[in-house]
Every structure is written in C-alpha cells, then in structure tokens.
Amino acid sequence: MTHLPITTYTDEYYRPTNLTDDEIAWFNAVVDRAKLVTGVKVDIIPFDHDLYSGKHRDALGCCTTTDPANMLGDDVDTYITIDCYFIHEKFEQVFKGRHSIEKQTLEEVVAHEIAHLYVWRHGKKHTTLTNEIYKKIVENAA
C-alpha cells in the first residue's frame, strides 16, 4: 500500500505552514539513502504528528503497522512517518545554521524507525541495530 505524505504542519507560532520543496527534497534524499543501504521497501513519509493522539503527537518518528509480530509480511500494512516540524527544524539547522532543540539528526531518527521493523521494543538489540543502520546511512552520504 502506498501512503501519501502530509507536508502541512503548524509552526512555532501556531500558524499553518508547509514543508518547502527544498526541505522535501532533502528529506527524500535521506530516506532514499536509508532505503538503499538497508534494502527496506516500506514507505517513509513526512507527516504532521499533531494529527496523532497521545504520546505519538510528540514523537519525532513513528513506525506504524497492522502486525507488530510480522511487520514486513506480504499482507501487512507497515509504514514510517517523520514529523514535519522536525524535518523543518533539522533542515534549518543543517543548511542555515539555526538552533535545534532536538539533539537527534534526521538520519538518526530514520535509522531508529527502520530498526523498529526488525526489533519492535526498545532495548539493547534495538539500540545496537539503530546504531548500525545510522552508521550505514552516514557512510553512504560521503
């Protein structure tokens, strides 16, 4: 199933806004690189996490699936979303030298969510896998 990105979000002044073409292109380049080095085929899309409820509203990334025990199965709907405001904030930091409250990079968050495809629960295995994926993504950028 193909999931459509939602590139609108509310900015720090509570105004509706959109990711710019440059922000989307940068995001897609990071995602394409992550998919290339991992072989992952699930959709990884920008999404306004304010549309989620509960603790997911504050998440930088979310891995969503209909079957946590078999996320990459043929009949399983699995996809990853990355928060639009986070994408914007990281773009501003990387390309304009602006301050970011979040310490993680876009590559780290994408790696973390991809790791959930293989290790659902947080713990040592998930952390180790996240670090391995992150390293591959960064090494492929050079």
Side-chain angles (χ1 to χ4, degrees):
M1 172 178 268
T2 301
H3 299 88
L4 298 175
I6 293 181
T7 59
T8 58
Y9 65 100
T10 304
D11 71 9
E12 65 270 25
Y13 301 106
Y14 304 101
R15 300 175 299 199
T17 192
N18 294 297
L19 290 174
T20 66
D21 290 342
D22 288 342
E23 290 168 336
I24 294 169
W26 173 66
F27 171 79
N28 287 334
V30 170
V31 166
D32 289 347
R33 194 167 65 243
K35 286 178 147 187
L36 177 71
V37 300
T38 62
V40 164
K41 306 238 184 291
V42 302
D43 290 338
I44 303 174
I45 60 171
F47 192 81
D48 180 1
H49 284 191
D50 284 345
L51 298 174
Y52 284 138
S53 61
K55 65 182 179 178
H56 302 295
R57 288 177 61 94
D58 296 326
L60 303 178
C62 287
C63 184
T64 303
T65 187
T66 55
D67 187 355
N70 183 30
M71 288 200 273
L72 298 175
D74 291 335
D75 295 329
V76 179
D77 183 17
T78 300
Y79 61 99
I80 292 170
T81 63
I82 307 296
D83 184 58
C84 289
Y85 187 83
F86 175 72
I87 296 167
H88 166 74
E89 185 179 44
K90 290 291 127 177
F91 181 88
E92 292 285 307
Q93 180 183 30
V94 169
F95 294 100
K96 298 181 181 179
R98 299 224 171 104
H99 176 72
S100 173
I101 293 172
E102 301 299 339
K103 302 301 180 209
Q104 298 94 336
T105 65
L106 178 59
E107 292 84 354
E108 287 172 310
V109 172
V110 169
H112 177 93
E113 297 309 322
I114 290 173
H116 277 302
L117 298 173
Y118 304 98
V119 180
W120 183 249
R121 294 176 55 100
H122 292 131
K124 290 178 186 177
K125 289 180 184 177
H126 182 270
T127 299
T128 299
L129 183 56
T130 297
N131 292 337
E132 290 170 5
I133 293 168
Y134 171 72
K135 184 177 178 184
K136 288 180 184 179
I137 294 169
V138 171
E139 286 174 352
N140 193 264

